Amino acid sequence: ANIACGGHVGNHQTVQETIRLAMKHEVKIGAHPSYPDPENFGRTSMKLSTQDLIASLTEQIGLVKMCAEKEGGVLHHVKPHGALYNDAIQNEEIASAILESVKNIDKSLKIITLNNSKILYLSGEDFEVKLEAFADRNYNDDGTLVSRKNDNAILMDPEKVFEHVFKMISEKKVRTVNRGEIPVFFDTVCVHGDHPNCIRILRYLKENFWNWIGKQNRNMDVKLQYKRYSEKSILIEWPPQIDENTLRDILLDKKSNENYYNKLNVEVIN
């Protein structure tokens, strides 16, 4: 969950309430700082001094961390919002201000951005950066997102969103607005919370990806070797062409569909 923390929207109360919901549903807590511009929802670039920007971002990130710890939770990551996110792709000064703000709060926090962002370039080995792809946004040929000023910036249909994301996962490519295909590198996928079809999209993605995992399971099940050596432990051997993440997805699917023990411990040995 990327939680708005006062820059574009949100306040202490909304941050606290959102954190409670995130913890209830076992969702990782993230700070979503932006330019201090609620009038434009943080989606318009601002000219601030570097120190003023760092001060604002540090305050926003600090609010989420404080609220999370008050609820007994942990702040997991930071993802810049809107124009701040986009500006950091090409502007080293903005990217550096974001990194400095994270450092002011907790250098170990993960930072989420695109693979072509200056944040990644400047982070070196000092910060852990996670790359992001967008489920509900169209891409330009250079890997940037189509501007929200354009009518074709946002994907509205859940089925089209699924096709968009499935290509990213299955082929490591994304289709651009000019019908081209470019490589895409990512650790996490974003669906915008203010998208009018957000809930429908998330439900459609979950249902269809679980169906896909189930098909992978049925196709691969004969190749997996199981050996139970205690009441709640099994040894699994699998062919090298199945990566560990796929295996874990298969096991989760089997666990839900075949009534495995709720607390089954699986030791993975290849």
Side-chain angles (χ1 to χ4, degrees), residues 71-160:
E71 296 296 327
V74 176
L75 180 58
H76 175 263
H77 65 270
V78 175
K79 176 190 168 180
H81 166 78
L84 179 69
Y85 184 102
N86 293 331
D87 288 348
I89 293 174
Q90 297 182 336
N91 189 315
E92 289 193 14
E93 187 174 355
I94 299 297
S96 179
I98 293 169
L99 292 172
E100 189 65 27
S101 303
V102 172
K103 184 178 178 181
N104 286 343
I105 299 300
D106 184 348
K107 190 177 177 181
S108 69
L109 293 171
K110 296 171 179 61
I111 305 172
I112 296 178
T113 188
L114 287 176
N115 72 298
N116 57 349
S117 173
K118 293 296 184 183
I119 289 177
L120 180 61
Y121 170 74
L122 294 173
S123 62
E125 297 182 357
D126 295 331
F127 298 88
E128 183 176 356
V129 176
K130 294 294 183 181
L131 303 182
E132 181 175 44
F134 287 83
D136 53 6
R137 294 291 302 275
N138 269 320
Y139 282 72
N140 294 308
D141 291 339
D142 63 357
T144 58
L145 300 177
V146 174
S147 171
R148 286 180 177 271
K149 296 177 182 178
N150 298 336
D151 293 337
N152 61 347
I154 302 172
L155 294 167
M156 302 298 294
D157 182 4
E159 185 174 348
K160 295 296 184 184

Side-chain angles (χ1 to χ4, degrees), residues 1 13 24 61 76-77 121 132 159 247 250 254 263:
Q13 180 179 348
K24 177 181 178 180
I61 299 167
H76 175 263
H77 65 270
Y121 170 74
E132 181 175 44
E159 185 174 348
L247 176 65
I250 291 170
K254 289 182 69 62
K263 296 184 178 179

